[in-house]
Amino acid sequence: MERYYQPEIECMSREELTALQNERLVNQVNHVWNNVPYYRKKMEEKGVTPDDIKTIADLHKLPFITKADLRDAYPYGLMGKPLKDCVRIQSTSGTTGKRVVAFYTQHDIDLWEDCCARAIMAAGGTDEDVCQVSYGYGLFTGGPGLNGGSHKVGCLTIPTSSGNTERQIMFIKDLSATILCCTPSYAAYLGESMKEMGMTPADIPLKAGIFGAEAWSEEMRQDIQNTLGIKAYDIYGLTELSGPGVSFECSAQSGMHVNEDHFIAEIIDPNTGEVLPAGSKGELVFTSLTKEAFPLLRYRTRDICMLNYEPCPCGRTHVKMCKPMGRSDDMLIIRGVNVFPSQIEAVLLKNGYQANYQIIVDRVKNTDTLDVQVEMTPEMFTDNMGEIARRQRVLIDGLRSMLGITAKVSLVAPKSIVRSEGKAVRVIDKRKI
Ligand code: DLL
């Protein structure tokens, strides 16, 4: 039986939904115009005023907001409410320049938690469930978002946060957790660890998992479902828009319903910015309709995706997005941390190397690995192993402080990395996701 948290919204007719979006968009544009000088200036530069936006068909007239805008306006420049009305920040794992810092009023948090509650109920959750939230808590949105959603559904919530795998398994077993929320790679790792401990799916009461924050394949879904004996549901979101729960999977497990009463989704051509027709593949852009403290209009996610407006057997009417199929920038997500190749390059150049390097990302035993191979310059070339090891350590430390994660570094002989005749291939991502 399909369960809904807010059936009157999740299953409303497209006509009613469009009317709701029209009304909310007009209000939101006025809110931003009146309260966010940074965005008002962007609108003025494009020659648009709130009077030009009457329905969602006018959305394309508004300027985009990009990550560069967030950096420019950091930290307080995009706030739509005074500080005294804000109660929380969350922040991304990204480290290019400044982190993204997003603000919330209590109302924003309530609506965000509603979105997460919808996801939990779509995965079959009820107030009789025990929901273990193994996403990180703190600045990352995963833990707080699903924690709040779990409370709203009325589940008994176990806020384990991430890590301490044996304790995770002990709680699942001893407290009879029925729903697990974490990244898909951590779910796979938990499954493996249970196997090593001699446990089978029959030994644990889990029935569903809500997994997201990173790309994962259908093969990985099958694998997790088999090792944990559950149904595995995808969930998507980003800090800039609230966190998890921008969209979520239902029992059909064939795409994630966008919470369209809160977010309008568009697909654009990442090169021209032009809006593409329904069904096209392109960059996903979101307009938040209800956020008060951090109201982003036409935010470019850089996620490449497709939207599907076909009716869904679950009864929900909100559009479904496919699993993100890559990014239109070169950001990598490694062990949940956003990494830009340019950051790695910066560390190498700062230490006297040239831009002859390759970044190899793989997934070994469900954990991402980052291997940076860099050529020594002819001047520094040596076969003294002690000296090479010392140089590698310097780079490992530099990369750790820049990225927040540990990389393996291999120094290789000058001219040993294949030169490209076209664009340099700097990143080799071997993960099958
Ligand atoms: O990852 C929010 C989240 C937490 C989503 C827990 C789901 C579960 P950020 O750290 O800001 O927020 O990273 C956002 O992660 O633009 C996508 O590239 C990627 N991403 C998020 N969910 C998925 C998913 C959280 N289900 C960025 N599949 C986004 C693929 C995802 N990629």
Side-chain angles (χ1 to χ4, degrees), residues 348-368:
L348 300 180
L349 298 189
K350 199 171 136 218
N351 284 282
Y353 297 82
Q354 288 167 347
N356 297 317
Y357 64 92
Q358 226 158 25
I359 299 166
I360 298 151
V361 187
D362 204 347
R363 192 164 275 180
V364 180
K365 287 195 164 182
N366 294 308
T367 302
D368 295 332

Side-chain angles (χ1 to χ4, degrees), residues 263-292:
F263 306 103
I264 303 180
E266 294 173 280
I267 295 285
I268 62 158
D269 178 327
N271 298 316
T272 64
E274 186 198 342
V275 179
L276 298 176
S280 310
K281 178 173 162 185
E283 184 181 334
L284 193 53
V285 171
F286 282 110
T287 295
S288 75
L289 292 172
T290 46
K291 285 284 293 279
E292 298 178 331

Side-chain angles (χ1 to χ4, degrees), residues 162-200:
S162 50
N164 202 337
T165 303
E166 280 193 13
R167 189 179 62 192
Q168 301 274 358
I169 296 171
M170 181 188 84
F171 275 142
I172 291 174
K173 199 160 182 274
D174 295 356
L175 299 175
S176 297
T178 47
I179 299 178
L180 173 67
C181 305
C182 61
T183 60
S185 38
Y186 196 52
Y189 181 65
L190 282 174
E192 244 173 50
S193 307
M194 280 186 205
K195 232 187 205 167
E196 280 167 18
M197 290 162 75
M199 292 164 74
T200 69

